[in-house]
Amino acid sequence: MPSTSSEEIPPAEPGALALPGRRAKGFLSWLDGFLSEELRRAPLEEFGRSRVLAGASLSLVLISGLITIAFILGGLSSYYVIAGVSAFAGYASALWSLRRVSSPRLPALLVSVFMAFTSMLTAFVANDTYLSAHAVMMLITSLTVYLLGPRLGLVTLVPMVLIVGVGHPFWRQRFGSEPPPLTHGYEWVMHVLAAICMFAGWAVGWLYSNAHATTHAALERDIKARKEAEAKLSELHRTLLDVSRQAGMSEVATGVLHNVGNAINSVNTSIGVVTDRLRGSRISKLVQATELLDQHAAELPAFLTTDPRGSMLPAYLGALSAQLVAERESLLTEMKALGESVEHIRSVVSMQQQHARYGGVVEQVTVPQLINDALRLSGGEFERLGIDVRREYAEVPPIEVDRHKLLQILLNLLSNARHALMDSTTPGKRLTIRVRPCAGGAQLRIEVEDNGVGIAPEYLTRMFSQGFTTKKTGHGFGLHISALAAQELHGRLSVVSAGPGQGATFTIELPLHGAQVSELMAPAS
């Protein structure tokens, strides 16, 4: 008795099983015991074909055995008995080989060849033309095409069709004789054979329907699992975008607060200077001189000429006037600095509002100006750290792009370069930003180059992978989201580095539209 399969058989479609569900599963598990381990673990389509082949082989073994017994009991010619025994042995060998092969191709070929050979041989030996049109021929046709496929099935079907359609009738008319009289035993054998073949055809159809239902159910589960995975991936992508946007907002907010904080410090300094100078102002001395004149108003000429205090008053007022003028100029200078600080605060806030307002909107952007804005939004960190920032901007036309996404990429690259330079021990820290057209003029290239810590060769291919970071406190999504944003802008983000300690260059390539390319390629006047 063959061993049963331990694998769970997926449920079939409603109506596909003619037996009760539990009994059907039990029968299929028993039938799977005729298959090798490789066939039981094969893909669903090949597994279903192997199961049909096992069922068909088992049915043909039973049919050939019963027919052989009927031939013996009916007293038919030994040719029939030999043919029946040969067919039984052939189908049994095919069933036996299913336990030892990794592909159902060879057992299927054995079954198809034995079915065709036995049917044709019986038709010739029996000298009966109606055997060529027996019900078993339909079983041979359906099984051959299903088990071997349309192309390889022709190897069996074409010779059989030629023999049925041409060979057997021609042989009977030329060399055969009248068919033997129809005995009762022969009649019973033919009718029983037809009935068994009909039942076998139903069984094979049931196995095929079950295999199809199993494959369909597995595909539906696979599609459902794939959709769930895609939904999770989409949700993760949205989460990453939100986190990146929040990180970008935090980066911008940090820059804004830093700039505003510096400006507020200047405002506080100017206010302190103005307050101190107002407190130490000579205005009180002028008030004292005025009071002294008021006290001697009645005798003012005598007071100014004969009184020692009065005679010194004109010179004192002149010196006091000069001091008050100097105080006024100093106060005006501080008020000017105070106004510039307030204007700087307004400019920073206005610039941030401008960039935040147009998220998701494609507009014409002057790239050098946007880079300068990104540097200012970085909070002046490069200047504070003593990093030499070099700007190499070629003459390029404005591009149509989502300002917010490009600004987010630039801020991420500037932050990445700043960390690389801060972690480097190389003297003369330098950041170079280049803007120039690509070869051919169809794209615009932005390069952010630093002479910082550099990137190891084994990390270059992973720099834009989600979650990958070389920083101790890094989160691993800044460059990944920047690469995705570049793709959404129909561009690309790449990186090159000569190795650790050799710095790195990140490059953004963005497409130029037709009018922009024409403007770029036009000769200078």
Side-chain angles (χ1 to χ4, degrees):
M1 179 66 66
S3 61
T4 59
S5 171
S6 61
E7 295 182 347
E8 182 180 355
I9 307 300
E13 294 176 342
L17 299 177
L19 299 175
R22 182 175 299 176
R23 294 183 181 179
K25 289 184 178 180
F27 171 75
L28 291 174
S29 298
W30 175 80
L31 189 63
D32 291 343
F34 289 96
L35 304 178
S36 65
E37 186 68 22
E38 290 83 357
L39 292 179
R40 287 199 295 268
R41 296 184 180 276
L44 283 177
E45 184 177 358
E46 186 171 349
F47 170 67
R49 187 178 290 109
S50 302
R51 180 183 281 175
V52 171
L53 179 58
S57 300
L58 186 61
S59 300
L60 290 170
V61 166
L62 296 176
I63 292 173
S64 59
L66 292 174
I67 290 177
T68 302
I69 294 174
F71 285 162
I72 296 174
L73 296 177
L76 297 180
S77 170
S78 60
Y79 292 108
Y80 290 98
V81 178
I82 293 174
V85 172
S86 300
F88 179 86
Y91 300 141
S93 65
L95 188 62
W96 174 82
S97 67
L98 281 172
R99 289 294 306 276
R100 289 160 178 81
V101 296
S102 58
S103 172
R105 187 63 57 87
L106 179 59
L109 189 60
L110 287 175
V111 169
S112 299
V113 169
F114 270 103
M115 283 194 300
F117 175 74
T118 303
S119 299
M120 294 299 99
L121 181 62
T122 303
F124 277 93
V125 171
N127 196 27
D128 189 351
T129 186
Y130 296 108
L131 285 178
S132 298
H134 197 269
V136 73
M137 297 301 175
M138 298 305 299
L139 185 62
I140 295 173
T141 303
S142 60
L143 276 178
T144 299
V145 174
Y146 176 68
L147 295 178
L148 295 176
R151 183 174 299 178
L152 188 57
L154 291 177
V155 176
T156 302
L157 292 179
V158 169
M160 189 178 70
V161 169
L162 292 177
I163 293 174
V164 170
V166 179
H168 191 219
F170 179 79
W171 182 86
R172 283 197 69 256
Q173 293 175 9
R174 291 287 184 176
F175 309 104
S177 59
E178 292 297 325
L182 186 64
T183 64
H184 290 293
Y186 182 82
E187 183 179 5
W188 273 107
V189 168
M190 291 297 103
H191 283 279
V192 171
L193 177 62
I196 294 175
C197 287
M198 291 176 183
F199 181 78
W202 171 87
V204 171
W206 173 72
L207 288 174
Y208 170 76
S209 176
N210 182 271
H212 176 74
T214 300
T215 304
H216 182 72
L219 287 176
E220 283 187 344
R221 282 195 298 269
D222 182 66
I223 292 174
K224 182 180 179 181
R226 183 173 299 179
K227 287 183 177 179
E228 291 177 352
E230 290 177 350
K232 291 180 180 178
L233 183 61
S234 178
E235 180 65 25
L236 178 61
H237 179 68
R238 286 195 296 269
T239 302
L240 284 175
L241 287 178
D242 292 339
V243 173
S244 174
R245 187 173 293 108
Q246 292 173 3
M249 292 170 61
S250 175
E251 189 82 17
V252 172
T254 300
V256 171
L257 291 176
H258 186 86
N259 275 323
V260 172
N262 288 338
I264 290 177
N265 288 336
S266 299
V267 170
N268 289 332
T269 301
S270 298
I271 291 176
V273 170
V274 170
T275 302
D276 292 341
R277 290 183 179 176
L278 286 176
R279 285 175 180 172
S281 176
R282 302 288 181 172
I283 292 292
S284 59
K285 301 299 182 179
L286 179 61
V287 173
Q288 293 175 1
T290 304
E291 291 177 351
L292 186 61
L293 290 174
D294 289 340
Q295 293 174 4
H296 298 83
E299 49 183 11
L300 188 58
F303 175 73
L304 293 175
T305 57
T306 60
D307 193 301
R309 294 180 300 170
S311 61
M312 296 173 57
L313 189 58
Y316 175 77
L317 290 176
L320 181 61
S321 299
Q323 291 181 352
L324 291 178
V325 169
E327 287 181 3
R328 185 192 67 178
E329 295 299 327
S330 176
L331 291 175
L332 287 175
T333 300
E334 291 299 327
M335 292 304 297
K336 181 180 180 182
L338 181 61
E340 290 176 350
S341 298
V342 173
E343 177 62 24
H344 180 63
I345 294 175
R346 188 199 65 78
S347 175
V348 170
V349 174
S350 175
M351 181 174 57
Q352 167 57 19
Q353 291 175 341
Q354 177 187 12
H355 292 308
R357 187 183 305 128
Y358 296 106
V361 178
V362 176
E363 58 175 316
Q364 279 202 344
V365 174
T366 303
V367 173
Q369 180 61 44
L370 189 66
I371 295 174
N372 292 334
D373 291 347
L375 287 170
R376 284 197 295 271
L377 288 173
S378 296
E381 289 294 318
F382 295 101
E383 291 79 2
R384 184 179 64 83
L385 295 171
I387 298 173
D388 179 21
V389 179
R390 301 181 180 180
R391 298 172 174 86
E392 299 178 3
Y393 302 155
E395 290 293 333
V396 293
I399 63 172
E400 294 184 358
V401 73
D402 184 335
R403 175 192 297 268
H404 177 75
K405 287 183 179 178
L406 182 54
L407 180 63
Q408 182 181 11
I409 298 173
L410 291 171
L411 287 172
N412 278 328
L413 295 186
L414 291 176
S415 175
N416 188 76
R418 185 173 69 250
H419 284 95
L421 290 167
M422 289 171 58
D423 295 339
S424 174
T425 58
T426 303
K429 302 179 188 297
R430 183 178 66 255
L431 173 69
T432 304
I433 306 176
R434 301 184 185 91
V435 179
R436 55 193 176 91
C438 295
Q443 289 181 317
L444 184 71
R445 175 174 294 174
I446 305 171
E447 296 178 356
V448 179
E449 176 186 309
D450 65 75
N451 62 344
V453 294
I455 304 171
E458 61 270 22
Y459 294 156
L460 283 175
T461 58
R462 303 172 57 192
M463 289 302 296
F464 304 111
S465 300
Q466 176 184 331
F468 177 78
T469 180
T470 57
K471 305 174 186 175
K472 295 181 180 180
T473 59
H475 39 63
F477 61 76
L479 290 178
H480 174 68
I481 292 299
S482 295
L484 293 179
Q487 291 179 0
E488 292 173 355
L489 297 177
H490 307 289
R492 63 187 294 265
L493 177 61
S494 60
V495 60
V496 293
S497 175
Q502 302 298 314
T505 301
F506 286 84
T507 302
I508 312 170
E509 293 180 354
L510 299 173
L512 293 173
H513 297 283
Q516 297 166 343
V517 174
S518 300
E519 180 180 346
L520 189 63
M521 301 300 292
S525 56

